[in-house]
Amino acid sequence: MRLLKTFGSIRTRLLALLLLLVAASFGLISYKIYNDSVHEVRELFDAQLSQTARLLMGLVRHDLSESERNEMQAVLDEALLLHNARNPDNLLGHEYEGKLAFQMLDDDGELLFQSASAPPGLLNDMIEQLGLALPNDDQPMRERLAQLARYLIGYHTLNIGEHRWRVFVLHDSRDYHWVLAGERDDVRGELIGKIARRSLQPLLIGLPIVGLLLWLTVGWGLYPLKRMADAIRGRAPDNLAPLVFPPLPNELEPMAAALNRLLMQVNQLLEQEKRFIADAAHELRTPLAVLRIHAQNALEAPDAGDREEALRQLGSGVDRATRVVAQLLTLARLDPNGIRLNMDHLDLLAFLRGELAELTPLALNRGQELILDAQEPGDYHLPADAPSLGILLQNLVSNAVQYTPAGGCIQVQLQATTQYLLLQVLDSGPGVPAELRERLFERFFRVGEGQGAGLGLSIVRRVVELHQGSIALDESPLGGLRVSVRLPRRPGSLA
């Protein structure tokens, strides 16, 4: 959590990760380049030692006199610019010159000539450090060297005096010469390190430049996200219109679509809430006004009979207002965007028997007959939400009871097919003209002098929609209205 707070910005996290990866990559590349450079420069210096030894061997003959050797020594010293003190400006033509040391010996180990920088007794020290000394010290040096030639010829790294040396040994079996060419390891290491570090300079200079380019690139890549965040941040709280963005990258388009979809859903919920409040205010205004009138009449009644009638009307008005509030709350609860049905396997026939048993007193109170008609045996199972189906049945039956005259008949039929179950409620009431049937689903629309709020069929249709079914109104064979509800056995099978 502390790390997330430190790197709270996507840009900071991305840059930190990229710079870490780039730095690690540069480090590995630099390590590889440095090792390869050191190896190649060492190989180059070793080749220079070998070339120097072979060049000296080709220049010097075995039968040179002492004066010729001295003259050769002077020429070599002058060539290496080690004794030209009269012109200091020319002491070194290049910073890497004069780093070599060499010796030339005959087969008896006698020194013929050497460079001024060569350590004395180089060959003897080499034999001693390599552990090549023979136990017979009386043996002539020529023979000893001949026996040791295969061990001495080639490259060696030795500690001579205060310094470590890299030495190449070459033997000329024709002119009987030993040539030793060497370099001090500290001088060689200084040159190798300097050359290798110079090869790394482009990478070291390039790392900050790459970091700056990464900073600019990440900023440019995240700019659409910043612009999107600024647009959302600048929105007024009451502005729920869809967000309009300039062309967005593919990764941000789903986010923009999700935000707009969320805004649309919030807007729909607010609109439904406003509509519910407006509907409730509209529908409750009249019942409340009637209740006030009945209460006032009861207070001003001249005798007990009038007061009793006013109180009876007041009780009836309270019942009607209660029904209106209950239906409004039911309608709000069944809103498609505000409810999630608990779909479970339901035996609809058994469910109808239980619900109609509770509704039968309503019909008996008006002298009506309530009948359930279903063919048995049969498969009446389907996935459904039992509470909302109970609301559907209560509204259909109560509407039928309300509009059917005393002594009439209300019939509930249930039929099963392979794809759906058909639930029908028929009554023997006055019916509804064909041109008005579709309007019965509108809120607060009523036909005749019923006591309802005109919300029953709106609630029924909402329940049917939630179950992905269909509903239809037509003329009943009993003379009144027939409501037909198709409920699918599989959601979407009626689409």
Side-chain angles (χ1 to χ4, degrees), residues 114-136:
Q114 66 176 355
S115 65
S117 58
L122 180 59
L123 184 61
N124 291 331
D125 288 345
M126 182 186 306
I127 293 174
E128 181 178 353
Q129 287 196 33
L130 295 177
L132 301 178
L134 295 177
N136 187 3

PDB file of all heavy atoms in Angstrom, residues 114-136:
ATOM      1  N   GLN A 114      68.545  -4.931 -25.281  1.00  0.00           N
ATOM      2  CA  GLN A 114      67.218  -4.837 -24.688  1.00  0.00           C
ATOM      3  C   GLN A 114      66.754  -3.392 -24.686  1.00  0.00           C
ATOM      4  O   GLN A 114      67.561  -2.474 -24.890  1.00  0.00           O
ATOM      5  CB  GLN A 114      67.245  -5.373 -23.247  1.00  0.00           C
ATOM      6  CG  GLN A 114      68.077  -4.522 -22.301  1.00  0.00           C
ATOM      7  CD  GLN A 114      68.018  -5.011 -20.870  1.00  0.00           C
ATOM      8  OE1 GLN A 114      67.291  -5.940 -20.556  1.00  0.00           O
ATOM      9  NE2 GLN A 114      68.819  -4.396 -19.990  1.00  0.00           N
ATOM     10  N   SER A 115      65.507  -3.216 -24.449  1.00  0.00           N
ATOM     11  CA  SER A 115      64.968  -1.867 -24.285  1.00  0.00           C
ATOM     12  C   SER A 115      65.260  -1.384 -22.870  1.00  0.00           C
ATOM     13  O   SER A 115      65.459  -2.193 -21.955  1.00  0.00           O
ATOM     14  CB  SER A 115      63.455  -1.853 -24.538  1.00  0.00           C
ATOM     15  OG  SER A 115      62.791  -2.630 -23.551  1.00  0.00           O
ATOM     16  N   ALA A 116      65.309  -0.060 -22.716  1.00  0.00           N
ATOM     17  CA  ALA A 116      65.640   0.497 -21.400  1.00  0.00           C
ATOM     18  C   ALA A 116      64.604   0.141 -20.350  1.00  0.00           C
ATOM     19  O   ALA A 116      64.901   0.106 -19.161  1.00  0.00           O
ATOM     20  CB  ALA A 116      65.774   2.018 -21.501  1.00  0.00           C
ATOM     21  N   SER A 117      63.350  -0.121 -20.773  1.00  0.00           N
ATOM     22  CA  SER A 117      62.276  -0.400 -19.805  1.00  0.00           C
ATOM     23  C   SER A 117      62.195  -1.866 -19.423  1.00  0.00           C
ATOM     24  O   SER A 117      61.382  -2.242 -18.574  1.00  0.00           O
ATOM     25  CB  SER A 117      60.917   0.021 -20.404  1.00  0.00           C
ATOM     26  OG  SER A 117      60.680  -0.654 -21.627  1.00  0.00           O
ATOM     27  N   ALA A 118      63.044  -2.725 -20.036  1.00  0.00           N
ATOM     28  CA  ALA A 118      62.969  -4.167 -19.745  1.00  0.00           C
ATOM     29  C   ALA A 118      63.610  -4.470 -18.403  1.00  0.00           C
ATOM     30  O   ALA A 118      64.687  -3.955 -18.091  1.00  0.00           O
ATOM     31  CB  ALA A 118      63.650  -4.950 -20.857  1.00  0.00           C
ATOM     32  N   PRO A 119      62.975  -5.298 -17.580  1.00  0.00           N
ATOM     33  CA  PRO A 119      63.579  -5.666 -16.288  1.00  0.00           C
ATOM     34  C   PRO A 119      64.754  -6.612 -16.498  1.00  0.00           C
ATOM     35  O   PRO A 119      64.728  -7.473 -17.390  1.00  0.00           O
ATOM     36  CB  PRO A 119      62.438  -6.371 -15.558  1.00  0.00           C
ATOM     37  CG  PRO A 119      61.576  -6.911 -16.642  1.00  0.00           C
ATOM     38  CD  PRO A 119      61.672  -5.934 -17.776  1.00  0.00           C
ATOM     39  N   PRO A 120      65.788  -6.486 -15.687  1.00  0.00           N
ATOM     40  CA  PRO A 120      66.959  -7.381 -15.853  1.00  0.00           C
ATOM     41  C   PRO A 120      66.626  -8.794 -15.404  1.00  0.00           C
ATOM     42  O   PRO A 120      65.776  -9.010 -14.540  1.00  0.00           O
ATOM     43  CB  PRO A 120      68.020  -6.730 -14.948  1.00  0.00           C
ATOM     44  CG  PRO A 120      67.208  -5.981 -13.901  1.00  0.00           C
ATOM     45  CD  PRO A 120      65.982  -5.493 -14.610  1.00  0.00           C
ATOM     46  N   GLY A 121      67.296  -9.755 -15.979  1.00  0.00           N
ATOM     47  CA  GLY A 121      67.135 -11.151 -15.591  1.00  0.00           C
ATOM     48  C   GLY A 121      65.742 -11.691 -15.855  1.00  0.00           C
ATOM     49  O   GLY A 121      65.229 -12.515 -15.090  1.00  0.00           O
ATOM     50  N   LEU A 122      65.134 -11.233 -16.929  1.00  0.00           N
ATOM     51  CA  LEU A 122      63.740 -11.593 -17.196  1.00  0.00           C
ATOM     52  C   LEU A 122      63.577 -13.080 -17.442  1.00  0.00           C
ATOM     53  O   LEU A 122      62.673 -13.720 -16.913  1.00  0.00           O
ATOM     54  CB  LEU A 122      63.227 -10.785 -18.398  1.00  0.00           C
ATOM     55  CG  LEU A 122      61.785 -11.032 -18.822  1.00  0.00           C
ATOM     56  CD1 LEU A 122      60.827 -10.731 -17.673  1.00  0.00           C
ATOM     57  CD2 LEU A 122      61.433 -10.177 -20.037  1.00  0.00           C
ATOM     58  N   LEU A 123      64.513 -13.663 -18.212  1.00  0.00           N
ATOM     59  CA  LEU A 123      64.379 -15.069 -18.557  1.00  0.00           C
ATOM     60  C   LEU A 123      64.564 -15.953 -17.323  1.00  0.00           C
ATOM     61  O   LEU A 123      63.821 -16.921 -17.125  1.00  0.00           O
ATOM     62  CB  LEU A 123      65.379 -15.433 -19.647  1.00  0.00           C
ATOM     63  CG  LEU A 123      65.295 -16.865 -20.182  1.00  0.00           C
ATOM     64  CD1 LEU A 123      63.925 -17.117 -20.802  1.00  0.00           C
ATOM     65  CD2 LEU A 123      66.399 -17.139 -21.208  1.00  0.00           C
ATOM     66  N   ASN A 124      65.554 -15.624 -16.492  1.00  0.00           N
ATOM     67  CA  ASN A 124      65.785 -16.420 -15.293  1.00  0.00           C
ATOM     68  C   ASN A 124      64.599 -16.336 -14.325  1.00  0.00           C
ATOM     69  O   ASN A 124      64.201 -17.337 -13.723  1.00  0.00           O
ATOM     70  CB  ASN A 124      67.067 -15.952 -14.598  1.00  0.00           C
ATOM     71  CG  ASN A 124      68.318 -16.291 -15.413  1.00  0.00           C
ATOM     72  OD1 ASN A 124      68.329 -17.274 -16.168  1.00  0.00           O
ATOM     73  ND2 ASN A 124      69.364 -15.487 -15.279  1.00  0.00           N
ATOM     74  N   ASP A 125      64.064 -15.131 -14.168  1.00  0.00           N
ATOM     75  CA  ASP A 125      62.885 -14.982 -13.297  1.00  0.00           C
ATOM     76  C   ASP A 125      61.716 -15.786 -13.828  1.00  0.00           C
ATOM     77  O   ASP A 125      60.944 -16.371 -13.057  1.00  0.00           O
ATOM     78  CB  ASP A 125      62.505 -13.508 -13.177  1.00  0.00           C
ATOM     79  CG  ASP A 125      63.495 -12.719 -12.333  1.00  0.00           C
ATOM     80  OD1 ASP A 125      64.288 -13.365 -11.623  1.00  0.00           O
ATOM     81  OD2 ASP A 125      63.464 -11.472 -12.399  1.00  0.00           O
ATOM     82  N   MET A 126      61.584 -15.829 -15.130  1.00  0.00           N
ATOM     83  CA  MET A 126      60.485 -16.576 -15.742  1.00  0.00           C
ATOM     84  C   MET A 126      60.637 -18.057 -15.462  1.00  0.00           C
ATOM     85  O   MET A 126      59.666 -18.742 -15.075  1.00  0.00           O
ATOM     86  CB  MET A 126      60.433 -16.313 -17.247  1.00  0.00           C
ATOM     87  CG  MET A 126      59.280 -17.018 -17.956  1.00  0.00           C
ATOM     88  SD  MET A 126      59.379 -16.822 -19.738  1.00  0.00           S
ATOM     89  CE  MET A 126      59.470 -15.056 -19.886  1.00  0.00           C
ATOM     90  N   ILE A 127      61.864 -18.572 -15.631  1.00  0.00           N
ATOM     91  CA  ILE A 127      62.105 -19.990 -15.389  1.00  0.00           C
ATOM     92  C   ILE A 127      61.806 -20.337 -13.936  1.00  0.00           C
ATOM     93  O   ILE A 127      61.198 -21.364 -13.620  1.00  0.00           O
ATOM     94  CB  ILE A 127      63.556 -20.353 -15.761  1.00  0.00           C
ATOM     95  CG1 ILE A 127      63.743 -20.220 -17.280  1.00  0.00           C
ATOM     96  CG2 ILE A 127      63.904 -21.761 -15.314  1.00  0.00           C
ATOM     97  CD1 ILE A 127      65.171 -20.418 -17.735  1.00  0.00           C
ATOM     98  N   GLU A 128      62.216 -19.456 -13.030  1.00  0.00           N
ATOM     99  CA  GLU A 128      62.021 -19.711 -11.613  1.00  0.00           C
ATOM    100  C   GLU A 128      60.534 -19.692 -11.245  1.00  0.00           C
ATOM    101  O   GLU A 128      60.043 -20.562 -10.514  1.00  0.00           O
ATOM    102  CB  GLU A 128      62.791 -18.677 -10.797  1.00  0.00           C
ATOM    103  CG  GLU A 128      62.665 -18.886  -9.298  1.00  0.00           C
ATOM    104  CD  GLU A 128      63.474 -17.865  -8.525  1.00  0.00           C
ATOM    105  OE1 GLU A 128      64.230 -17.086  -9.170  1.00  0.00           O
ATOM    106  OE2 GLU A 128      63.327 -17.823  -7.290  1.00  0.00           O
ATOM    107  N   GLN A 129      59.768 -18.676 -11.742  1.00  0.00           N
ATOM    108  CA  GLN A 129      58.355 -18.569 -11.394  1.00  0.00           C
ATOM    109  C   GLN A 129      57.525 -19.681 -12.002  1.00  0.00           C
ATOM    110  O   GLN A 129      56.514 -20.106 -11.423  1.00  0.00           O
ATOM    111  CB  GLN A 129      57.800 -17.210 -11.848  1.00  0.00           C
ATOM    112  CG  GLN A 129      58.286 -16.072 -10.998  1.00  0.00           C
ATOM    113  CD  GLN A 129      57.441 -14.823 -11.210  1.00  0.00           C
ATOM    114  OE1 GLN A 129      56.244 -14.896 -11.464  1.00  0.00           O
ATOM    115  NE2 GLN A 129      58.107 -13.680 -11.105  1.00  0.00           N
ATOM    116  N   LEU A 130      57.956 -20.151 -13.174  1.00  0.00           N
ATOM    117  CA  LEU A 130      57.223 -21.246 -13.808  1.00  0.00           C
ATOM    118  C   LEU A 130      57.620 -22.600 -13.233  1.00  0.00           C
ATOM    119  O   LEU A 130      57.024 -23.618 -13.606  1.00  0.00           O
ATOM    120  CB  LEU A 130      57.447 -21.234 -15.321  1.00  0.00           C
ATOM    121  CG  LEU A 130      56.884 -20.013 -16.067  1.00  0.00           C
ATOM    122  CD1 LEU A 130      57.249 -20.097 -17.552  1.00  0.00           C
ATOM    123  CD2 LEU A 130      55.381 -19.929 -15.903  1.00  0.00           C
ATOM    124  N   GLY A 131      58.614 -22.623 -12.334  1.00  0.00           N
ATOM    125  CA  GLY A 131      59.034 -23.881 -11.725  1.00  0.00           C
ATOM    126  C   GLY A 131      59.674 -24.817 -12.724  1.00  0.00           C
ATOM    127  O   GLY A 131      59.501 -26.046 -12.630  1.00  0.00           O
ATOM    128  N   LEU A 132      60.487 -24.241 -13.656  1.00  0.00           N
ATOM    129  CA  LEU A 132      61.064 -25.048 -14.730  1.00  0.00           C
ATOM    130  C   LEU A 132      62.547 -25.316 -14.537  1.00  0.00           C
ATOM    131  O   LEU A 132      63.204 -25.880 -15.421  1.00  0.00           O
ATOM    132  CB  LEU A 132      60.855 -24.351 -16.077  1.00  0.00           C
ATOM    133  CG  LEU A 132      59.394 -24.084 -16.467  1.00  0.00           C
ATOM    134  CD1 LEU A 132      59.336 -23.342 -17.806  1.00  0.00           C
ATOM    135  CD2 LEU A 132      58.632 -25.403 -16.568  1.00  0.00           C
ATOM    136  N   ALA A 133      63.139 -24.895 -13.399  1.00  0.00           N
ATOM    137  CA  ALA A 133      64.585 -25.091 -13.184  1.00  0.00           C
ATOM    138  C   ALA A 133      64.896 -26.576 -13.061  1.00  0.00           C
ATOM    139  O   ALA A 133      64.195 -27.316 -12.358  1.00  0.00           O
ATOM    140  CB  ALA A 133      65.027 -24.347 -11.923  1.00  0.00           C
ATOM    141  N   LEU A 134      65.952 -27.025 -13.754  1.00  0.00           N
ATOM    142  CA  LEU A 134      66.345 -28.426 -13.730  1.00  0.00           C
ATOM    143  C   LEU A 134      67.257 -28.688 -12.534  1.00  0.00           C
ATOM    144  O   LEU A 134      68.041 -27.816 -12.114  1.00  0.00           O
ATOM    145  CB  LEU A 134      67.069 -28.792 -15.018  1.00  0.00           C
ATOM    146  CG  LEU A 134      66.200 -28.702 -16.291  1.00  0.00           C
ATOM    147  CD1 LEU A 134      67.043 -29.011 -17.517  1.00  0.00           C
ATOM    148  CD2 LEU A 134      65.026 -29.657 -16.212  1.00  0.00           C
ATOM    149  N   PRO A 135      67.185 -29.895 -11.950  1.00  0.00           N
ATOM    150  CA  PRO A 135      68.002 -30.174 -10.758  1.00  0.00           C
ATOM    151  C   PRO A 135      69.497 -30.182 -11.039  1.00  0.00           C
ATOM    152  O   PRO A 135      70.304 -29.937 -10.158  1.00  0.00           O
ATOM    153  CB  PRO A 135      67.518 -31.559 -10.324  1.00  0.00           C
ATOM    154  CG  PRO A 135      66.905 -32.169 -11.552  1.00  0.00           C
ATOM    155  CD  PRO A 135      66.342 -31.048 -12.322  1.00  0.00           C
ATOM    156  N   ASN A 136      69.922 -30.452 -12.261  1.00  0.00           N
ATOM    157  CA  ASN A 136      71.333 -30.514 -12.600  1.00  0.00           C
ATOM    158  C   ASN A 136      71.824 -29.118 -12.948  1.00  0.00           C
ATOM    159  O   ASN A 136      71.696 -28.662 -14.080  1.00  0.00           O
ATOM    160  CB  ASN A 136      71.553 -31.481 -13.763  1.00  0.00           C
ATOM    161  CG  ASN A 136      73.036 -31.714 -14.039  1.00  0.00           C
ATOM    162  OD1 ASN A 136      73.903 -31.202 -13.321  1.00  0.00           O
ATOM    163  ND2 ASN A 136      73.318 -32.511 -15.056  1.00  0.00           N
TER     164      ASN A 136
END
